[in-house]
mmCIF file of all heavy atoms in Angstrom:
data_model
loop_
_atom_site.group_PDB
_atom_site.id
_atom_site.type_symbol
_atom_site.label_atom_id
_atom_site.label_comp_id
_atom_site.label_asym_id
_atom_site.label_seq_id
_atom_site.Cartn_x
_atom_site.Cartn_y
_atom_site.Cartn_z
ATOM 1 N N SER V 1 102.695 105.567 91.651
ATOM 2 C CA SER V 1 101.747 105.782 92.773
ATOM 3 C C SER V 1 102.377 106.707 93.825
ATOM 4 O O SER V 1 101.644 107.590 94.392
ATOM 5 C CB SER V 1 101.354 104.452 93.393
ATOM 6 O OG SER V 1 102.518 103.778 93.889
ATOM 7 N N ALA V 2 103.721 106.631 94.033
ATOM 8 C CA ALA V 2 104.338 107.524 94.979
ATOM 9 C C ALA V 2 104.290 108.954 94.521
ATOM 10 O O ALA V 2 104.060 109.903 95.316
ATOM 11 C CB ALA V 2 105.756 107.098 95.185
ATOM 12 N N ALA V 3 104.458 109.182 93.198
ATOM 13 C CA ALA V 3 104.453 110.548 92.663
ATOM 14 C C ALA V 3 103.021 111.119 92.754
ATOM 15 O O ALA V 3 102.819 112.295 93.099
ATOM 16 C CB ALA V 3 104.881 110.540 91.212
ATOM 17 N N ILE V 4 102.020 110.273 92.462
ATOM 18 C CA ILE V 4 100.594 110.720 92.563
ATOM 19 C C ILE V 4 100.306 111.132 93.974
ATOM 20 O O ILE V 4 99.669 112.149 94.231
ATOM 21 C CB ILE V 4 99.657 109.611 92.105
ATOM 22 C CG1 ILE V 4 99.794 109.394 90.588
ATOM 23 C CG2 ILE V 4 98.230 109.895 92.474
ATOM 24 C CD1 ILE V 4 99.092 108.166 90.061
ATOM 25 N N LYS V 5 100.768 110.354 94.954
ATOM 26 C CA LYS V 5 100.489 110.662 96.387
ATOM 27 C C LYS V 5 101.146 111.928 96.794
ATOM 28 O O LYS V 5 100.528 112.764 97.488
ATOM 29 C CB LYS V 5 100.945 109.471 97.251
ATOM 30 C CG LYS V 5 100.778 109.712 98.735
ATOM 31 C CD LYS V 5 100.974 108.438 99.560
ATOM 32 C CE LYS V 5 102.331 107.823 99.315
ATOM 33 N NZ LYS V 5 102.521 106.633 100.163
ATOM 34 N N HIS V 6 102.412 112.110 96.421
ATOM 35 C CA HIS V 6 103.105 113.381 96.780
ATOM 36 C C HIS V 6 102.417 114.595 96.150
ATOM 37 O O HIS V 6 102.226 115.609 96.827
ATOM 38 C CB HIS V 6 104.565 113.294 96.325
ATOM 39 C CG HIS V 6 105.282 114.611 96.469
ATOM 40 N ND1 HIS V 6 105.601 115.141 97.682
ATOM 41 C CD2 HIS V 6 105.746 115.470 95.546
ATOM 42 C CE1 HIS V 6 106.212 116.321 97.511
ATOM 43 N NE2 HIS V 6 106.297 116.556 96.239
ATOM 44 N N HIS V 7 102.115 114.494 94.897
ATOM 45 C CA HIS V 7 101.408 115.618 94.204
ATOM 46 C C HIS V 7 100.051 115.933 94.899
ATOM 47 O O HIS V 7 99.721 117.109 95.087
ATOM 48 C CB HIS V 7 101.216 115.280 92.721
ATOM 49 C CG HIS V 7 100.328 116.225 91.990
ATOM 50 N ND1 HIS V 7 99.016 115.965 91.744
ATOM 51 C CD2 HIS V 7 100.591 117.467 91.509
ATOM 52 C CE1 HIS V 7 98.491 116.994 91.052
ATOM 53 N NE2 HIS V 7 99.430 117.905 90.914
ATOM 54 N N LEU V 8 99.324 114.898 95.251
ATOM 55 C CA LEU V 8 98.052 115.099 95.916
ATOM 56 C C LEU V 8 98.239 115.763 97.251
ATOM 57 O O LEU V 8 97.478 116.671 97.632
ATOM 58 C CB LEU V 8 97.303 113.745 96.100
ATOM 59 C CG LEU V 8 95.948 113.811 96.787
ATOM 60 C CD1 LEU V 8 94.970 114.715 96.048
ATOM 61 C CD2 LEU V 8 95.397 112.395 96.917
ATOM 62 N N TYR V 9 99.253 115.360 98.015
ATOM 63 C CA TYR V 9 99.539 115.994 99.318
ATOM 64 C C TYR V 9 99.893 117.441 99.184
ATOM 65 O O TYR V 9 99.411 118.271 99.963
ATOM 66 C CB TYR V 9 100.669 115.203 100.026
ATOM 67 C CG TYR V 9 100.951 115.761 101.422
ATOM 68 C CD1 TYR V 9 99.994 115.735 102.413
ATOM 69 C CD2 TYR V 9 102.175 116.329 101.688
ATOM 70 C CE1 TYR V 9 100.265 116.218 103.702
ATOM 71 C CE2 TYR V 9 102.469 116.833 102.950
ATOM 72 C CZ TYR V 9 101.453 116.776 103.975
ATOM 73 O OH TYR V 9 101.732 117.253 105.197
ATOM 74 N N ARG V 10 100.707 117.748 98.123
ATOM 75 C CA ARG V 10 101.050 119.144 97.945
ATOM 76 C C ARG V 10 99.859 119.958 97.492
ATOM 77 O O ARG V 10 99.708 121.136 97.872
ATOM 78 C CB ARG V 10 102.189 119.253 96.918
ATOM 79 C CG ARG V 10 103.505 118.693 97.404
ATOM 80 C CD ARG V 10 104.086 119.553 98.548
ATOM 81 N NE ARG V 10 104.430 120.895 98.065
ATOM 82 C CZ ARG V 10 103.944 121.993 98.594
ATOM 83 N NH1 ARG V 10 103.168 122.016 99.651
ATOM 84 N NH2 ARG V 10 104.272 123.164 98.085
ATOM 85 N N PHE V 11 98.938 119.339 96.752
ATOM 86 C CA PHE V 11 97.714 120.023 96.371
ATOM 87 C C PHE V 11 96.872 120.317 97.608
ATOM 88 O O PHE V 11 96.383 121.452 97.809
ATOM 89 C CB PHE V 11 96.887 119.156 95.374
ATOM 90 C CG PHE V 11 95.505 119.683 95.134
ATOM 91 C CD1 PHE V 11 95.337 120.713 94.185
ATOM 92 C CD2 PHE V 11 94.404 119.188 95.815
ATOM 93 C CE1 PHE V 11 94.038 121.229 93.974
ATOM 94 C CE2 PHE V 11 93.106 119.733 95.574
ATOM 95 C CZ PHE V 11 92.949 120.724 94.642
ATOM 96 N N TRP V 12 96.756 119.296 98.489
ATOM 97 C CA TRP V 12 96.019 119.499 99.757
ATOM 98 C C TRP V 12 96.687 120.625 100.573
ATOM 99 O O TRP V 12 95.989 121.485 101.125
ATOM 100 C CB TRP V 12 95.961 118.177 100.523
ATOM 101 C CG TRP V 12 95.361 118.336 101.851
ATOM 102 C CD1 TRP V 12 93.997 118.330 102.146
ATOM 103 C CD2 TRP V 12 96.003 118.518 103.122
ATOM 104 N NE1 TRP V 12 93.809 118.494 103.496
ATOM 105 C CE2 TRP V 12 95.045 118.598 104.108
ATOM 106 C CE3 TRP V 12 97.359 118.598 103.453
ATOM 107 C CZ2 TRP V 12 95.378 118.813 105.441
ATOM 108 C CZ3 TRP V 12 97.678 118.795 104.807
ATOM 109 C CH2 TRP V 12 96.709 118.899 105.792
ATOM 110 N N GLN V 13 97.994 120.568 100.710
ATOM 111 C CA GLN V 13 98.663 121.570 101.495
ATOM 112 C C GLN V 13 98.494 123.015 100.900
ATOM 113 O O GLN V 13 98.353 123.952 101.667
ATOM 114 C CB GLN V 13 100.194 121.292 101.509
ATOM 115 C CG GLN V 13 100.613 120.220 102.512
ATOM 116 C CD GLN V 13 102.119 120.120 102.575
ATOM 117 O OE1 GLN V 13 102.815 120.120 101.513
ATOM 118 N NE2 GLN V 13 102.663 120.048 103.750
ATOM 119 N N THR V 14 98.470 123.100 99.608
ATOM 120 C CA THR V 14 98.408 124.382 98.955
ATOM 121 C C THR V 14 97.001 124.940 98.910
ATOM 122 O O THR V 14 96.809 126.204 99.154
ATOM 123 C CB THR V 14 98.935 124.264 97.514
ATOM 124 O OG1 THR V 14 100.250 123.760 97.526
ATOM 125 C CG2 THR V 14 98.919 125.639 96.788
ATOM 126 N N CYS V 15 96.022 124.119 98.660
ATOM 127 C CA CYS V 15 94.641 124.591 98.373
ATOM 128 C C CYS V 15 93.644 124.457 99.499
ATOM 129 O O CYS V 15 92.712 125.202 99.631
ATOM 130 C CB CYS V 15 94.120 123.941 97.108
ATOM 131 S SG CYS V 15 95.139 124.245 95.642
ATOM 132 N N ILE V 16 93.820 123.382 100.296
ATOM 133 C CA ILE V 16 92.738 123.043 101.291
ATOM 134 C C ILE V 16 93.215 123.292 102.718
ATOM 135 O O ILE V 16 92.574 123.944 103.524
ATOM 136 C CB ILE V 16 92.274 121.600 101.098
ATOM 137 C CG1 ILE V 16 91.796 121.384 99.635
ATOM 138 C CG2 ILE V 16 91.137 121.266 102.087
ATOM 139 C CD1 ILE V 16 91.374 119.997 99.291
ATOM 140 N N ARG V 17 94.314 122.633 103.108
ATOM 141 C CA ARG V 17 95.018 122.935 104.349
ATOM 142 C C ARG V 17 94.174 122.581 105.606
ATOM 143 O O ARG V 17 94.360 123.159 106.675
ATOM 144 C CB ARG V 17 95.465 124.353 104.465
ATOM 145 C CG ARG V 17 96.440 124.767 103.362
ATOM 146 C CD ARG V 17 96.961 126.171 103.530
ATOM 147 N NE ARG V 17 95.844 127.106 103.368
ATOM 148 C CZ ARG V 17 95.395 127.600 102.231
ATOM 149 N NH1 ARG V 17 95.969 127.194 101.100
ATOM 150 N NH2 ARG V 17 94.400 128.471 102.152
ATOM 151 N N GLU V 18 93.218 121.713 105.483
ATOM 152 C CA GLU V 18 92.478 121.256 106.678
ATOM 153 C C GLU V 18 91.989 119.817 106.359
ATOM 154 O O GLU V 18 91.817 119.421 105.214
ATOM 155 C CB GLU V 18 91.292 122.145 107.021
ATOM 156 C CG GLU V 18 90.258 122.292 105.904
ATOM 157 C CD GLU V 18 89.204 123.291 106.333
ATOM 158 O OE1 GLU V 18 88.576 123.066 107.367
ATOM 159 O OE2 GLU V 18 88.930 124.255 105.548
ATOM 160 N N PRO V 19 91.713 119.014 107.440
ATOM 161 C CA PRO V 19 91.322 117.639 107.198
ATOM 162 C C PRO V 19 90.017 117.535 106.359
ATOM 163 O O PRO V 19 89.086 118.314 106.506
ATOM 164 C CB PRO V 19 91.057 117.087 108.594
ATOM 165 C CG PRO V 19 91.947 117.935 109.477
ATOM 166 C CD PRO V 19 91.880 119.314 108.858
ATOM 167 N N VAL V 20 89.973 116.579 105.443
ATOM 168 C CA VAL V 20 88.892 116.429 104.477
ATOM 169 C C VAL V 20 88.205 115.104 104.649
ATOM 170 O O VAL V 20 88.739 114.155 105.220
ATOM 171 C CB VAL V 20 89.390 116.543 103.035
ATOM 172 C CG1 VAL V 20 90.054 117.875 102.738
ATOM 173 C CG2 VAL V 20 90.350 115.367 102.689
ATOM 174 N N THR V 21 86.948 115.033 104.141
ATOM 175 C CA THR V 21 86.350 113.745 103.879
ATOM 176 C C THR V 21 86.878 113.373 102.445
ATOM 177 O O THR V 21 86.485 114.043 101.469
ATOM 178 C CB THR V 21 84.825 113.805 103.872
ATOM 179 O OG1 THR V 21 84.403 114.112 105.243
ATOM 180 C CG2 THR V 21 84.192 112.510 103.479
ATOM 181 N N LEU V 22 87.721 112.344 102.368
ATOM 182 C CA LEU V 22 88.335 111.970 101.146
ATOM 183 C C LEU V 22 87.518 110.886 100.467
ATOM 184 O O LEU V 22 87.299 109.790 101.046
ATOM 185 C CB LEU V 22 89.744 111.462 101.429
ATOM 186 C CG LEU V 22 90.654 111.199 100.203
ATOM 187 C CD1 LEU V 22 90.873 112.479 99.407
ATOM 188 C CD2 LEU V 22 92.023 110.620 100.637
ATOM 189 N N VAL V 23 87.086 111.127 99.226
ATOM 190 C CA VAL V 23 86.231 110.218 98.469
ATOM 191 C C VAL V 23 86.968 109.715 97.244
ATOM 192 O O VAL V 23 87.359 110.525 96.374
ATOM 193 C CB VAL V 23 84.915 110.925 98.065
ATOM 194 C CG1 VAL V 23 84.008 109.948 97.314
ATOM 195 C CG2 VAL V 23 84.203 111.541 99.275
ATOM 196 N N GLY V 24 87.157 108.414 97.172
ATOM 197 C CA GLY V 24 87.869 107.857 95.980
ATOM 198 C C GLY V 24 86.970 106.810 95.272
ATOM 199 O O GLY V 24 86.368 105.998 95.936
ATOM 200 N N THR V 25 86.947 106.924 93.958
ATOM 201 C CA THR V 25 86.190 105.982 93.138
ATOM 202 C C THR V 25 87.146 105.096 92.320
ATOM 203 O O THR V 25 88.100 105.588 91.744
ATOM 204 C CB THR V 25 85.248 106.724 92.166
ATOM 205 O OG1 THR V 25 86.050 107.426 91.213
ATOM 206 C CG2 THR V 25 84.349 107.714 92.901
ATOM 207 N N SER V 26 86.851 103.779 92.351
ATOM 208 C CA SER V 26 87.670 102.823 91.585
ATOM 209 C C SER V 26 89.156 103.011 91.901
ATOM 210 O O SER V 26 89.560 102.899 93.089
ATOM 211 C CB SER V 26 87.412 102.998 90.079
ATOM 212 O OG SER V 26 87.888 101.923 89.334
ATOM 213 N N MET V 27 90.072 103.327 90.956
ATOM 214 C CA MET V 27 91.427 103.522 91.241
ATOM 215 C C MET V 27 91.622 104.689 92.205
ATOM 216 O O MET V 27 92.544 104.703 93.015
ATOM 217 C CB MET V 27 92.256 103.806 89.960
ATOM 218 C CG MET V 27 93.752 103.837 90.180
ATOM 219 S SD MET V 27 94.697 104.665 88.872
ATOM 220 C CE MET V 27 94.421 106.384 89.357
ATOM 221 N N GLY V 28 90.721 105.708 92.148
ATOM 222 C CA GLY V 28 90.796 106.786 93.102
ATOM 223 C C GLY V 28 90.669 106.309 94.542
ATOM 224 O O GLY V 28 91.144 106.936 95.474
ATOM 225 N N GLY V 29 89.938 105.190 94.744
ATOM 226 C CA GLY V 29 89.865 104.571 96.043
ATOM 227 C C GLY V 29 91.205 104.082 96.530
ATOM 228 O O GLY V 29 91.561 104.221 97.713
ATOM 229 N N ALA V 30 91.965 103.467 95.597
ATOM 230 C CA ALA V 30 93.279 102.994 95.962
ATOM 231 C C ALA V 30 94.188 104.213 96.306
ATOM 232 O O ALA V 30 94.985 104.132 97.300
ATOM 233 C CB ALA V 30 93.887 102.220 94.781
ATOM 234 N N VAL V 31 94.097 105.258 95.552
ATOM 235 C CA VAL V 31 94.831 106.503 95.862
ATOM 236 C C VAL V 31 94.457 106.991 97.248
ATOM 237 O O VAL V 31 95.333 107.379 98.019
ATOM 238 C CB VAL V 31 94.561 107.593 94.800
ATOM 239 C CG1 VAL V 31 95.303 108.856 95.159
ATOM 240 C CG2 VAL V 31 94.967 107.110 93.424
ATOM 241 N N ALA V 32 93.150 106.982 97.540
ATOM 242 C CA ALA V 32 92.665 107.462 98.817
ATOM 243 C C ALA V 32 93.188 106.630 99.987
ATOM 244 O O ALA V 32 93.574 107.154 101.038
ATOM 245 C CB ALA V 32 91.138 107.492 98.839
ATOM 246 N N ILE V 33 93.210 105.310 99.817
ATOM 247 C CA ILE V 33 93.750 104.435 100.852
ATOM 248 C C ILE V 33 95.223 104.715 101.070
ATOM 249 O O ILE V 33 95.700 104.852 102.227
ATOM 250 C CB ILE V 33 93.537 102.946 100.489
ATOM 251 C CG1 ILE V 33 92.055 102.585 100.444
ATOM 252 C CG2 ILE V 33 94.310 102.030 101.400
ATOM 253 C CD1 ILE V 33 91.744 101.272 99.794
ATOM 254 N N ASP V 34 95.966 104.805 99.999
ATOM 255 C CA ASP V 34 97.434 105.093 100.091
ATOM 256 C C ASP V 34 97.676 106.448 100.784
ATOM 257 O O ASP V 34 98.566 106.575 101.649
ATOM 258 C CB ASP V 34 98.006 105.084 98.651
ATOM 259 C CG ASP V 34 99.545 105.071 98.675
ATOM 260 O OD1 ASP V 34 100.145 104.636 99.649
ATOM 261 O OD2 ASP V 34 100.111 105.480 97.616
ATOM 262 N N PHE V 35 96.867 107.439 100.387
ATOM 263 C CA PHE V 35 97.025 108.803 100.979
ATOM 264 C C PHE V 35 96.651 108.807 102.434
ATOM 265 O O PHE V 35 97.376 109.361 103.289
ATOM 266 C CB PHE V 35 96.115 109.730 100.182
ATOM 267 C CG PHE V 35 96.320 111.181 100.552
ATOM 268 C CD1 PHE V 35 97.289 111.950 99.982
ATOM 269 C CD2 PHE V 35 95.458 111.777 101.472
ATOM 270 C CE1 PHE V 35 97.431 113.337 100.344
ATOM 271 C CE2 PHE V 35 95.608 113.092 101.860
ATOM 272 C CZ PHE V 35 96.619 113.889 101.279
ATOM 273 N N ALA V 36 95.513 108.156 102.803
ATOM 274 C CA ALA V 36 95.045 108.207 104.179
ATOM 275 C C ALA V 36 95.972 107.511 105.132
ATOM 276 O O ALA V 36 96.102 107.900 106.285
ATOM 277 C CB ALA V 36 93.657 107.585 104.230
ATOM 278 N N THR V 37 96.636 106.431 104.674
ATOM 279 C CA THR V 37 97.546 105.712 105.540
ATOM 280 C C THR V 37 98.865 106.427 105.707
ATOM 281 O O THR V 37 99.569 106.271 106.726
ATOM 282 C CB THR V 37 97.794 104.299 105.044
ATOM 283 O OG1 THR V 37 98.206 104.328 103.702
ATOM 284 C CG2 THR V 37 96.521 103.437 105.158
ATOM 285 N N THR V 38 99.228 107.251 104.723
ATOM 286 C CA THR V 38 100.513 108.010 104.794
ATOM 287 C C THR V 38 100.308 109.346 105.501
ATOM 288 O O THR V 38 101.186 109.798 106.267
ATOM 289 C CB THR V 38 101.057 108.276 103.373
ATOM 290 O OG1 THR V 38 101.181 107.013 102.712
ATOM 291 C CG2 THR V 38 102.433 108.965 103.452
ATOM 292 N N TYR V 39 99.174 109.970 105.241
ATOM 293 C CA TYR V 39 98.909 111.322 105.811
ATOM 294 C C TYR V 39 97.566 111.326 106.589
ATOM 295 O O TYR V 39 96.579 111.972 106.205
ATOM 296 C CB TYR V 39 98.832 112.371 104.674
ATOM 297 C CG TYR V 39 100.056 112.401 103.785
ATOM 298 C CD1 TYR V 39 99.979 112.009 102.490
ATOM 299 C CD2 TYR V 39 101.244 112.870 104.297
ATOM 300 C CE1 TYR V 39 101.142 112.039 101.691
ATOM 301 C CE2 TYR V 39 102.392 112.928 103.523
ATOM 302 C CZ TYR V 39 102.308 112.484 102.170
ATOM 303 O OH TYR V 39 103.428 112.535 101.352
ATOM 304 N N PRO V 40 97.491 110.567 107.655
ATOM 305 C CA PRO V 40 96.218 110.480 108.428
ATOM 306 C C PRO V 40 95.708 111.763 108.935
ATOM 307 O O PRO V 40 94.478 111.949 109.080
ATOM 308 C CB PRO V 40 96.546 109.489 109.581
ATOM 309 C CG PRO V 40 98.053 109.546 109.673
ATOM 310 C CD PRO V 40 98.566 109.773 108.346
ATOM 311 N N ASP V 41 96.633 112.759 109.177
ATOM 312 C CA ASP V 41 96.165 114.030 109.757
ATOM 313 C C ASP V 41 95.399 114.852 108.707
ATOM 314 O O ASP V 41 94.699 115.823 109.063
ATOM 315 C CB ASP V 41 97.371 114.843 110.261
ATOM 316 C CG ASP V 41 97.938 114.212 111.511
ATOM 317 O OD1 ASP V 41 97.259 113.381 112.130
ATOM 318 O OD2 ASP V 41 99.103 114.540 111.862
ATOM 319 N N ALA V 42 95.575 114.489 107.403
ATOM 320 C CA ALA V 42 94.909 115.247 106.346
ATOM 321 C C ALA V 42 93.500 114.698 106.040
ATOM 322 O O ALA V 42 92.752 115.342 105.295
ATOM 323 C CB ALA V 42 95.721 115.195 105.079
ATOM 324 N N VAL V 43 93.173 113.521 106.598
ATOM 325 C CA VAL V 43 91.941 112.851 106.283
ATOM 326 C C VAL V 43 91.107 112.672 107.532
ATOM 327 O O VAL V 43 91.489 111.931 108.468
ATOM 328 C CB VAL V 43 92.203 111.488 105.616
ATOM 329 C CG1 VAL V 43 90.875 110.800 105.230
ATOM 330 C CG2 VAL V 43 93.054 111.620 104.395
ATOM 331 N N ARG V 44 89.928 113.346 107.541
ATOM 332 C CA ARG V 44 89.052 113.269 108.686
ATOM 333 C C ARG V 44 88.185 112.036 108.581
ATOM 334 O O ARG V 44 88.004 111.295 109.531
ATOM 335 C CB ARG V 44 88.142 114.510 108.769
ATOM 336 C CG ARG V 44 87.404 114.661 110.082
ATOM 337 C CD ARG V 44 86.625 116.012 110.056
ATOM 338 N NE ARG V 44 85.576 115.963 109.116
ATOM 339 C CZ ARG V 44 84.336 115.507 109.383
ATOM 340 N NH1 ARG V 44 84.085 115.055 110.595
ATOM 341 N NH2 ARG V 44 83.407 115.519 108.479
ATOM 342 N N LYS V 45 87.628 111.755 107.377
ATOM 343 C CA LYS V 45 86.857 110.594 107.100
ATOM 344 C C LYS V 45 87.205 110.077 105.681
ATOM 345 O O LYS V 45 87.659 110.889 104.851
ATOM 346 C CB LYS V 45 85.332 110.869 107.203
ATOM 347 C CG LYS V 45 84.895 111.226 108.647
ATOM 348 C CD LYS V 45 83.393 111.395 108.697
ATOM 349 C CE LYS V 45 82.954 111.679 110.148
ATOM 350 N NZ LYS V 45 81.461 111.803 110.297
#
């Protein structure tokens, strides 16, 4: 889960670079929760 979160953050930094509305389905919801609590500045909603 830590590797998934780091990779997702680097994807966000590389491709998007602004706060997003982060949508997670099923396990993707767990990823979204983990990501939003670690990188709150990357998640607008």
Side-chain angles (χ1 to χ4, degrees):
S1 58
I4 290 171
K5 178 168 58 177
H6 171 68
H7 171 259
L8 179 60
Y9 182 63
R10 291 294 296 125
F11 172 81
W12 175 83
Q13 280 187 315
T14 304
C15 299
I16 304 177
R17 299 183 297 276
E18 59 182 305
V20 299
T21 294
L22 188 62
V23 181
T25 66
S26 194
M27 188 199 80
V31 178
I33 293 168
D34 193 22
F35 186 86
T37 53
T38 305
Y39 305 111
D41 291 343
V43 181
R44 193 176 68 87
K45 294 184 179 182

